[in-house]
Amino acid sequence: MGLIQLRGRTLYLLMKVVCGVSFMMYGYDAGVLGGVLLHKPFLDAIGNPTDTYTIPMIVASYDLAAFVTAIAITPYTFRLGRRGTVIMGNIVAIIGSLLQASSYSVAQLIVGRLCTGFAIGCISSAVPTYLSETGVEIGDRGPANISGVPLAYWIDYGFIMMDNQASWRIPIVFQCIFAFLSGGTMYFLPDTPRWYYARKYVSPCYPPLLAVVPAAPNCSMCSMGNGISPIRESSRWDEGDAALAQLNDSEVDSEKVQNTRREILAAIEAELEANASLNWKQFVTMGFTDHTRLKVVRRLVMCFWLPMIREWMGSSLLAYYSSIILATVARPGLVSLLSGVLNIFYALGCVPLYFTVERVGRRSVLLYGAIVMTVLLSIFTALVAVGPGHPNIQWASIGVLFLFLFVFGYSWQGCVWLYCSEIAPLEYRHIGGAFTASGEWLMTFITVFAGPIGFDGIGWYFWLWVISGNVVAIIFVFLLCPETGGKTLEQVDYLFVRPGFAGLRSNFDITEEDVEDAFEAKPKTNAIEQREETGTYEKTG
C-alpha cells in the first residue's frame, strides 16, 4: 500500500495527474528530437551524417526499444504491479535523458534513446491500466495522456534561437523533471485494488477459491507459516479492501466497497473458467479462431492491433517529422514556429474528449473519427500531389493537415489507450497493457524508420500507405469493437460472450443471458456470494 493518506476524489485526481505527467514523456521525447533534427549544433555534435539511414535509426531506436521492452517485461509486470512498473520506467527515463543530453556521437545518442525507449515501454504498458483500475465511477476512466509533443516543440523553438550546444541539450534533459515528479509521487501511492485481488487470486501461496488447503509454510506472501490457510483468516483481500476503501472514501465493510469486491472476484472467477479453453495456437490466427467463452485471445490481440493501426494512420509520422514536412512549404525561420502551432492543434483535439467520451461513446469516437480522417488525408494527399510550384495549394494542404491532427487528437490519440485498458481481461490486464504498448511501438518504429526513406524514394505516393491505415481502422472498429462506455470493467467481459464479431451486436446492453453464458457453472457464482456473506470457505466436490 502507498504512504499517501489522501482519500476519495482527491486521491484519484492526484493519480490522474501523476499518470498524465508520466505519459507526457511519451509525447515529449518524440517531439523534442523532431524539433532539432535540422538544427546545426545538433548535427555538428553527431558528426553531420549525410547518409539516408542514420537520422531515421537515431529516431526509431527509441520506438524499437519500447516495443522490445513491452514484450520482454510481460512475465514480470504482474509481479511488479502497475505502480512498480511505472516507477521503474521513470528511473530509467532519467538515465536515458542524461545519456542523450551528454552525447557527442551517434552511438551514445542511440544508447540514450534505447534507455528512454525502455522507460516508455514500461510506462505506456502500465499507466493506462493503472488509471482505468483506480477509477471509482465509470466516468473516471477518461484518458489522461497529457500531450508532451507541443511542449517539446515550443521549448525547441525557444532554444534553437541560440547557436550553441546548450540549445538542443537543455530541451532533451528537461524531461527528467517529468520523471522525478511522476516517479517520486507514484512511490507514495497505492497500486490498484484489482491488482491486489488478482495477485492473491493467482498466487501459488493461495489455493483456488473453492478449495481449502494448507498455507505455504515458508512463503513471504503468506501472513501465517503454521500450516493454516490465510483464506480462513480472511486476510487474503486486506490490501485490495484497503485500496478500495481509500479510493471510495468509505469503510471497508461499506456496501459500495463490498459490492465492488464481489464484482471483481466474480470477473476473475469467470475468466479463470474461460481459460480452460485458452490455447497459445489461437494467437497464431490473431484471435479470429477464439474458443474461449470470453474471447480472451481476441481481446488481447485487439489490444495489439488498435494502437498499431493508430500509428499506421500517421500519428507518430507527423509528430516526429512535422518540421521536415513543413520545410517543403515554409521558410526555415517559420518551420519550428509552425511545428509548435501544428502540435498545439494536436493537443487541443484531446481536450473535448475528456468531456464527451462518456456521452458519445468510445466506439463512435473511433469509428467516425477514422471516417473523417480518411476524407481529410485523401484531400491532403491530392493537394500535395498537385502542389509543387503552387504555393497557395501547398499552404492549403498544411491547413488540411491542421484539421487532420485536431480530429486525430480527439478521436484516436487518447481513446485507444482508454479502450484497450477496458477490454483487456482482468487476469491478463498486464499482458493487455504490454500488447497495447508493443503494437504502438512496433508500428511507430516501422513508420518512423521508413517514413523519410519513403518520402525520399516515392514522394507523395507514401501518403497512400497512410490512407490505407485509416481505411483499415474503419473496418476494424465496425466489426470488432463493442461500446464499453457506461459499463464497469467487470461488465465489459460480458460484451464478448456472444458468437460472432462483438462490433456487430444489435445493441451493447448487458443481458442476464450474457452473464450466465460467462460462467461454465452457476453454482460457482453462488459459492462466491456465500463466501463473501458468511466468510466461510468450504471444499466442494
Side-chain angles (χ1 to χ4, degrees):
M1 288 292 294
L3 300 178
I4 290 180
Q5 297 305 309
L6 296 175
R7 300 177 67 84
R9 303 302 300 171
T10 305
L11 174 62
Y12 179 70
L13 180 60
L14 176 61
M15 289 174 164
K16 197 161 188 173
V17 170
V18 170
C19 288
V21 174
S22 282
F23 230 56
M24 184 176 279
M25 285 188 295
Y26 155 59
Y28 186 90
D29 208 68
V32 71
L33 200 62
V36 299
L37 287 177
L38 304 178
H39 191 41
K40 186 178 183 301
F42 170 75
L43 295 173
D44 289 342
I46 61 173
N48 289 292
T50 56
D51 61 283
T52 307
Y53 299 98
T54 298
I55 293 297
M57 194 63 242
I58 290 172
V59 176
S61 58
Y62 165 82
D63 310 300
L64 182 62
F67 163 68
V68 173
T69 300
I71 296 295
I73 66 169
T74 301
Y76 310 103
T77 50
F78 187 77
R79 190 175 304 171
L80 287 170
R82 289 64 157 130
R83 167 179 165 271
T85 305
V86 174
I87 292 172
M88 179 173 68
N90 279 287
I91 292 173
V92 180
I94 294 171
I95 298 172
S97 300
L98 293 174
L99 285 173
Q100 289 183 75
S102 60
S103 295
Y104 270 100
S105 68
V106 171
Q108 183 178 341
L109 189 60
I110 289 179
V111 171
R113 297 285 289 172
L114 291 174
C115 288
T116 314
F118 175 91
I120 291 299
C122 295
I123 290 169
S124 60
S125 64
V127 162
T129 303
Y130 182 85
L131 187 63
S132 67
E133 289 188 347
T134 51
V136 174
E137 305 295 336
I138 292 174
D140 286 345
R141 301 199 302 264
N145 57 319
I146 301 172
S147 179
V149 176
L151 176 63
Y153 272 97
W154 281 113
I155 289 177
D156 281 343
Y157 178 69
F159 274 92
I160 62 173
M161 300 300 177
M162 301 160 47
D163 191 23
N164 54 35
Q165 288 298 309
S167 62
W168 68 272
R169 297 182 189 275
I170 292 177
I172 287 179
V173 81
F174 185 82
Q175 62 193 300
C176 288
I177 296 175
F178 307 140
F180 274 118
L181 289 175
S182 57
T185 308
M186 183 66 76
Y187 178 79
F188 298 100
L189 293 173
D191 214 309
T192 76
R194 289 168 176 84
W195 176 73
Y196 287 126
Y197 289 133
R199 178 183 65 161
K200 295 299 177 68
Y201 213 119
V202 302
S203 168
C205 311
Y206 293 98
L209 278 182
L210 297 179
V212 175
V213 298
N218 297 316
C219 180
S220 60
M221 289 180 65
C222 289
S223 59
M224 306 180 69
N226 55 7
I228 299 176
S229 172
I231 296 178
R232 294 179 185 269
E233 304 301 319
S234 300
S235 63
R236 182 175 187 173
W237 317 118
D238 284 354
E239 289 176 306
D241 288 349
L244 264 183
Q246 190 175 359
L247 284 164
N248 282 277
D249 195 14
S250 303
E251 298 299 323
V252 170
D253 57 358
S254 69
E255 182 178 355
K256 188 172 185 179
V257 171
Q258 293 303 310
N259 285 341
T260 304
R261 179 171 78 165
R262 289 190 187 95
E263 288 183 2
I264 295 171
L265 297 182
I268 300 174
E269 186 87 358
E271 290 170 7
L272 287 175
E273 291 177 19
N275 290 351
S277 54
L278 185 63
N279 190 303
W280 68 269
K281 294 179 181 178
Q282 297 175 57
F283 285 96
V284 177
T285 65
M286 288 295 164
F288 283 101
T289 55
D290 188 347
H291 303 301
T292 62
R293 284 192 310 283
L294 299 179
K295 302 297 184 291
V296 173
V297 175
R298 183 173 298 171
R299 291 157 66 185
L300 290 174
V301 171
M302 286 171 64
C303 288
F304 176 83
W305 275 107
L306 275 169
M308 194 167 185
I309 291 171
R310 178 181 62 191
E311 295 308 317
W312 187 357
M313 296 165 78
S315 173
S316 290
L317 185 68
L318 293 168
Y320 281 83
Y321 296 119
S322 58
S323 60
I324 294 176
I325 294 170
L326 292 170
T328 61
V329 177
R331 57 186 174 83
L334 280 177
V335 169
S336 292
L337 177 62
L338 283 175
S339 295
V341 176
L342 182 66
N343 284 286
I344 280 182
F345 265 71
Y346 194 10
L348 287 177
C350 299
V351 176
L353 183 65
Y354 288 85
F355 307 103
T356 61
V357 68
E358 295 299 331
R359 207 165 45 242
V360 178
R362 285 80 158 139
R363 174 181 166 88
S364 296
V365 167
L366 293 172
L367 180 61
Y368 294 113
I371 292 172
V372 173
M373 288 190 294
T374 301
V375 173
L376 289 173
L377 198 59
S378 298
I379 296 172
F380 170 78
T381 303
L383 292 174
V384 169
V386 301
H390 301 84
N392 291 339
I393 295 178
Q394 289 180 312
W395 279 108
S397 69
I398 297 302
V400 174
L401 196 60
F402 272 66
L403 291 175
F404 173 83
L405 279 177
F406 184 87
V407 176
F408 204 121
Y410 174 76
S411 55
W412 278 73
Q413 178 57 30
C415 203
V416 167
W417 293 107
L418 170 63
Y419 191 81
C420 290
S421 67
E422 291 178 336
I423 64 172
L426 176 55
E427 185 191 353
Y428 297 113
R429 200 157 284 151
H430 62 295
I431 299 178
F435 275 30
T436 303
S438 61
E440 162 92 5
W441 297 115
L442 175 60
M443 186 54 85
T444 300
F445 170 73
I446 293 171
T447 56
V448 169
F449 184 73
I453 301 171
F455 287 132
D456 186 56
I458 60 175
W460 67 266
Y461 290 98
F462 189 78
W463 289 110
L464 298 177
W465 162 255
V466 183
I467 292 174
S468 67
N470 286 263
V471 174
V472 169
I474 297 171
I475 299 170
F476 188 94
V477 173
F478 180 76
L479 292 176
L480 296 174
C481 298
E483 178 54 57
T484 59
K487 298 168 182 66
T488 66
L489 292 176
E490 288 66 47
Q491 290 172 338
V492 171
D493 277 344
Y494 308 134
L495 290 170
F496 293 89
V497 297
R498 298 182 190 178
F501 294 127
L504 297 181
R505 289 175 57 135
S506 57
N507 65 73
F508 301 109
D509 296 328
I510 304 299
T511 65
E512 291 185 9
E513 183 180 356
D514 292 332
V515 178
E516 291 173 1
D517 289 345
F519 290 89
E520 189 170 50
K522 288 185 187 179
K524 288 193 175 184
T525 307
N526 296 333
I528 292 174
E529 294 175 355
Q530 178 189 0
R531 289 193 303 275
E532 292 294 339
E533 292 172 1
T534 65
T536 60
Y537 298 85
E538 298 177 358
K539 184 175 180 179
T540 61

